[in-house]
Amino acid sequence: MATTVRRAVLTLPAAPLGAENPLPALRPLDEMHVVDDRDRAGLPRDMARQIGYEPLATVLPVRILDGYGRERTPTELDVIVIENDRIRATVLPGLGGRIHSLHHKPTGRELLYTNPVLQPADFALNGAWFSGGIEWNIGATGHTTLSCAPVHAARVPAPDGGEMVRLWEWERLRDLPFQVDLWLPEDSDFLHVGVRIRNPHERTAPVYWWSNIAVPEGARTRVLAPADEAWHFGYTRTLTRVPVPVPETGSVDRTYPLRSDFPADYFYEVPDGARRWIASLDEDGHGLVQTSTDLLRGRKLFIWGSGAGGRRWQQWLTEPGTVGYAEIQAGLARTQLEHIPLEPGAEFSWLESYGPLAADPGVVHGDDWAAARAETEQRLADVLPRADVEAAYAAWRPHADTEPGESLATGSGWGALEVRRGKYELPGTPFAESTLGEQQAPWLDLLDQGTLPEPRRVVPPGPSLVSAHWRDMLETAPAAPLTEYHLGVAQWHAGDRAQAVRSWERGLALAPSRWPLLRCLAVAAQEGGQCDRAADHYAEAFEDLCAERRDDGDAWTAATTALGREAIEALLTAGRPEKARAVWAGLRPAIRQRGRFRLLEARLLLAEGDRAAARAVFDEGFEVADLREGAEILDEVWTAVSDDPLPDVYNYRMKPQS
């Protein structure tokens, strides 16, 4: 059959994402992949330089997604299917453009780990993320803020005269447009993926990219890459160079994901000039291989390990009884801790290929690592020579500017706003003004009229914009309370915290709605080490919100939930359990029953001196739906309420106990 592109519907048990958290993300980025400055001294110079190059301080202007739960119901998801007589790829345009499934028809094999449920968890830079498939991570170290966001999609003519699917969006952490072209030539066993990131600005931009591929685990599944060394990163936050496949003398072979105890990353040191590839092969030597043009230099294996914490996380991200997964990845740098400069007006582009591979299992699983690698690479060369990947890239590259045809999905309006402001010419990735919506409307007024309009009704503030050009416009706009609020957020993002506080204090003097400004001032006080002042601001902010709240709609519920949680935590930190209890009493019963608030209740009871009641909360059972990757809060509170070992149901340990 000729390659076809069609829309379809996939039904999965899914937990709704919930409303965005309306509180601006002012706090430092909570990302596990961080190396202490002192530990960078022994790293290669280029790696150390790129690790220190413009790391994010916050996820502004993106909002946090933490309103999901654990109750799943059958949900229809729009998908795009691209297939020929060999391969069928299923894409989720409403969820970051992730490839949900890559099915090899002749063998009937699913090449990816396909999650049977859609369960958000707190792994993305801005919260909600889900496991499975192939995701496109752009922005900064971690899972992209687009993990659970829609992207634009359309049909585009393919280099071989057929059709391909283009995905594109505006990545807001770094203000960069990007595209992902999915091209499946007729009769091909390999899906080609052309990627382009452009910098339309007059300043150099830091770039991050890792293609993240979930593959099924198995007792005899082995991950192979063309390397004899790797950079090991564990959740003790140290980066060390280790041999492959056995990191230490007498240790187990870490190329088998289930042979480790704890989660860990292995970033392979692929030699210069070597072909870029990584494969996951089962006990019979069958599985998936990914290869690319040379610009995509990095390769990585992430393992959950066989320990209780890793297995618990696997269950948490899907459901008990389903197969586990590991991640094989490919990125622009050697490690995920690095960002690479992209010059003004320049671009990065490359081509990746995904497909089935079969190799001699006796060699692949033998003791000779060099032979196992050579066997895998030769089988790859037999089915997809390196020169063919280069030729596919050369054929695709002229088509990257081709204007899309029929629209298959619509992303956000933020790209259209930025294109209108900057008057950018971006052939191949149109950001139509028809995509501008309610969130962009006040910023269009600021752009066209020089004034940020005050809301016509009492609602939580909309999203802030923080890049330099928007900050400049806010500084010259009339100093209304809402303008001062957004200006303070932009100044905070720029690192001018003293000026941000002054802007929020100016807005507070005349604001009809005080709680958004008070909350910003509370965070500023916390970051400045002023716990009592922060507690005062939080208590006043929550009281003001409760007085102002108009209904139990999604926006007000999200605001009450987010502010109530922060206020209780701040008041407990300041040693004011009675004030924290007052905030607790002001929450709706439905909010108090959420797992995150059950955990807060246990902390509150401890602060009130009732250890037995706090222990009873754990005994009754709860699930913190937005438990952060690597978080140790369950361990910490359990230790305070009980002398017993941590129950398995609360064990999410990603590193050995200290």
Side-chain angles (χ1 to χ4, degrees):
M1 63 180 288
T3 300
T4 62
V5 173
R6 58 185 171 86
R7 283 182 283 197
V9 174
L10 173 68
T11 301
L12 288 178
L17 279 175
E20 291 180 331
N21 184 329
L23 308 184
L26 302 175
R27 287 190 174 80
L29 192 64
D30 182 14
E31 165 54 34
M32 293 297 301
H33 292 79
V34 177
V35 173
D36 189 277
D37 288 345
R38 292 169 296 182
D39 293 336
R40 295 213 310 259
L43 300 176
R45 287 188 178 181
D46 62 331
M47 183 186 292
R49 181 172 59 253
Q50 290 177 171
I51 288 175
Y53 176 52
E54 294 199 25
L56 285 185
T58 72
V59 296
L60 289 170
V62 178
R63 284 182 154 185
I64 301 296
L65 291 173
D66 58 5
Y68 50 86
R70 298 282 300 169
E71 294 183 6
R72 298 189 287 262
T73 58
T75 303
E76 292 186 345
L77 304 172
D78 291 330
V79 299
I80 301 169
V81 179
I82 177 170
E83 66 179 316
N84 60 15
D85 59 354
R86 311 286 297 176
I87 291 285
R88 179 172 63 248
T90 304
V91 185
L92 299 169
L95 295 164
R98 186 174 306 202
I99 297 179
H100 173 72
S101 167
L102 192 62
H103 181 79
H104 187 231
K105 295 182 180 181
T107 61
R109 291 178 177 271
E110 174 56 51
L111 301 179
L112 304 174
Y113 166 76
T114 58
N115 198 333
V117 303
L118 179 57
Q119 176 56 62
D122 192 2
F123 278 68
L125 289 165
N126 64 328
W129 173 86
F130 64 102
S131 63
I134 306 172
E135 63 174 316
W136 318 112
N137 285 309
I138 182 174
T141 299
H143 291 284
T144 176
T145 61
L146 295 167
S147 292
C148 293
V151 298
H152 303 282
R155 299 176 190 264
V156 181
D160 61 355
E163 287 185 320
M164 62 183 177
V165 174
R166 174 162 300 157
L167 311 170
W168 73 99
E169 246 305 346
W170 194 277
E171 200 289 308
R172 301 178 66 210
L173 296 182
R174 303 301 194 180
D175 257 347
L176 299 176
F178 73 98
Q179 70 189 77
V180 177
D181 287 356
L182 306 177
W183 169 30
L184 183 58
E186 186 175 353
D187 298 326
S188 174
D189 276 329
F190 282 84
L191 175 70
H192 295 317
V193 180
V195 182
R196 177 166 65 165
I197 304 170
R198 286 185 276 192
N199 180 7
H201 306 295
E202 296 178 352
R203 53 172 173 78
T204 301
V207 170
Y208 173 93
W209 181 279
W210 282 81
S211 302
N212 184 2
I213 310 136
V215 290
E217 280 180 335
R220 292 275 292 164
T221 295
R222 193 177 204 187
V223 172
L224 302 103
D228 292 315
E229 293 182 303
W231 293 93
H232 168 263
F233 184 85
Y235 286 80
T236 54
R237 300 193 176 188
T238 56
L239 187 65
T240 55
R241 196 166 186 158
V242 298
V244 175
V246 180
E248 302 93 15
T249 302
S251 186
V252 299
D253 187 336
R254 300 294 199 242
T255 61
Y256 290 90
L258 284 174
R259 296 188 184 179
S260 294
D261 292 329
F262 288 93
D265 298 324
Y266 290 95
F267 301 101
Y268 293 109
E269 186 69 36
V270 180
D272 291 341
R275 184 175 186 181
R276 272 62 165 144
W277 61 269
I278 189 168
S280 174
L281 304 179
D282 65 16
E283 60 183 356
D284 297 321
H286 293 278
L288 172 85
V289 66
Q290 186 270 3
T291 187
S292 71
T293 49
D294 288 354
L295 183 67
L296 202 67
R297 66 173 296 183
R299 292 297 185 276
K300 171 196 166 181
L301 165 64
F302 168 74
I303 54 177
W304 282 110
S306 58
R311 305 333 292 169
R312 179 64 180 140
W313 272 117
Q314 292 262 26
Q315 296 170 4
W316 185 251
L317 295 170
T318 177
E319 55 187 11
T322 56
V323 66
Y325 75 97
E327 293 172 358
I328 58 176
Q329 303 190 22
L332 283 172
R334 280 185 288 188
T335 73
Q336 288 177 327
L337 289 73
E338 302 170 66
H339 300 86
I340 298 176
L342 180 59
E343 298 300 319
E347 64 181 52
F348 289 141
S349 64
W350 64 89
L351 185 121
E352 307 177 43
S353 298
Y354 296 82
L357 193 69
D360 185 334
V363 180
V364 165
H365 295 290
D367 294 333
D368 188 335
W369 172 245
R373 279 176 33 207
E375 164 67 11
T376 307
E377 187 158 347
Q378 182 57 54
R379 297 305 179 199
L380 172 60
D382 292 343
V383 295
L384 186 65
R386 187 176 188 178
D388 286 6
V389 176
E390 298 290 344
Y393 172 72
W396 164 74
R397 188 60 191 81
H399 290 258
D401 284 347
T402 302
E403 289 304 306
E406 178 195 358
S407 174
L408 299 173
T410 303
S412 78
W414 296 113
L417 181 67
E418 292 299 334
V419 166
R420 178 164 172 175
R421 183 206 60 79
K423 299 180 174 59
Y424 300 126
E425 296 292 334
L426 298 170
T429 55
F431 292 94
E433 292 206 1
S434 60
T435 62
L436 293 165
E438 182 180 356
Q439 289 191 332
Q440 293 82 39
W443 300 96
L444 277 175
D445 283 349
L446 179 63
L447 181 63
D448 295 340
Q449 310 295 331
T451 300
L452 198 66
E454 290 293 311
R456 296 179 180 177
R457 58 191 177 91
V458 178
V459 292
S464 298
L465 294 182
V466 297
S467 52
H469 37 264
W470 293 108
R471 187 173 72 249
D472 289 344
M473 281 186 269
L474 288 167
E475 287 175 346
T476 57
L482 185 61
T483 302
E484 296 287 8
Y485 164 80
H486 287 300
L487 175 58
V489 174
Q491 291 165 333
W492 183 270
H493 174 265
D496 192 351
R497 297 191 168 188
Q499 190 58 55
V501 169
R502 284 192 285 272
S503 295
W504 292 326
E505 288 175 340
R506 282 197 305 268
L508 191 62
L510 297 174
S513 180
R514 293 169 53 83
W515 66 265
L517 292 151
L518 285 166
R519 184 267 176 175
C520 290
L521 291 169
V523 175
Q526 278 184 322
E527 293 299 304
Q530 299 173 303
C531 293
D532 288 334
R533 185 176 180 84
D536 290 339
H537 284 320
Y538 267 122
E540 186 179 355
F542 189 77
E543 183 179 349
D544 187 69
L545 182 148
C546 290
E548 184 178 285
R549 186 172 54 200
R550 292 295 186 265
D551 54 46
D552 291 330
D554 290 345
W556 284 110
T557 297
T560 305
T561 303
L563 186 58
R565 171 184 169 179
E566 290 188 8
I568 292 172
E569 290 175 340
L571 289 161
L572 290 177
T573 299
R576 302 186 193 177
E578 69 288 347
K579 290 286 189 180
R581 178 61 70 181
V583 173
W584 175 267
L587 296 170
R588 306 289 195 199
I591 295 175
R592 293 202 296 262
Q593 288 304 309
R594 296 185 185 183
R596 172 63 66 179
F597 285 86
R598 295 286 285 155
L599 178 59
L600 265 181
E601 182 182 18
R603 294 173 59 190
L604 178 55
L605 288 164
L606 278 171
E608 293 170 336
D610 196 341
R611 188 173 189 243
R615 166 65 188 259
V617 173
F618 278 83
D619 291 341
E620 291 168 12
F622 60 87
E623 293 181 322
V624 182
D626 60 332
L627 186 68
R628 184 65 176 166
E629 175 192 11
E632 298 178 347
I633 185 65
L634 288 171
D635 275 357
E636 294 167 1
V637 180
W638 174 261
T639 300
V641 304
S642 176
D643 299 323
D644 297 333
L646 181 70
D648 288 343
V649 71
Y650 299 120
N651 184 357
Y652 295 88
R653 291 172 179 149
M654 300 187 77
K655 64 182 181 181
Q657 288 181 274
S658 57

